[in-house]
């Protein structure tokens, strides 16, 4: 059995991620943002769709910066609020 599901821009589609599914190619020049989240119990592992053999390695994560270091960086950059820059607040 097959089911064709059509969704408009902004619609949310929720389904069991173990169902065979696919999306069609984006045939326009505008980007088509997509948020795809999955949740599964620890014992269920999808070795086919999420195998490291199927995907290129990810780049390293950016180093974590402490809250204190971020504050120091902001102080070095100087004031950025409209009030501090002498601009009128709306």
């Amino acid at each position: 059995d097959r089911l064709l599901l059509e969704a408009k821009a902004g619609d949310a589609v929720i389904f069991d991620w173990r169902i065979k599914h696919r999306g069609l190619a984006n045939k326009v020049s505008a980007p088509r943002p997509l948020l795809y989240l999955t949740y599964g119990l620890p014992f269920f592992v999808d070795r086919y769709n999420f195998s490291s053999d199927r995907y290129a390695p990810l780049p390293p994560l950016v180093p974590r910066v402490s809250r204190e270091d971020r504050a120091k960086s902001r102080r070095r950059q100087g004031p950025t609020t409209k009030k501090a820059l002498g601009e009128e607040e709306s």
Side-chain angles (χ1 to χ4, degrees):
D1 291 337
R2 293 182 181 192
L3 172 68
L4 173 63
L5 174 67
E6 294 185 20
K8 294 179 282 194
D11 284 353
V13 178
I14 300 173
F15 57 93
D16 186 318
W17 67 302
R18 295 170 293 179
I19 293 176
K20 288 185 178 182
H21 62 281
R22 69 183 183 124
L24 299 176
N26 183 14
K27 296 181 180 180
V28 297
S29 60
R32 183 174 68 181
L34 171 72
L35 175 63
Y36 190 92
L37 301 171
T38 60
Y39 171 81
L41 295 173
F43 66 84
F44 184 81
V45 178
D46 185 348
R47 296 190 199 288
Y48 176 74
N49 288 307
F50 299 100
S51 166
S52 59
D53 296 337
R54 294 188 70 197
Y55 300 99
L58 293 172
L61 297 174
V62 294
R64 287 190 75 100
V65 178
S66 70
R67 179 175 278 189
E68 182 180 322
D69 287 342
R70 286 193 307 271
K72 287 178 188 176
S73 176
R74 283 193 300 273
R75 285 192 292 270
R76 282 193 304 270
Q77 292 171 8
T80 56
T81 63
K82 287 184 176 186
K83 185 175 181 181
L85 295 173
E87 298 176 8
E88 271 188 48
E89 294 192 33
S90 47

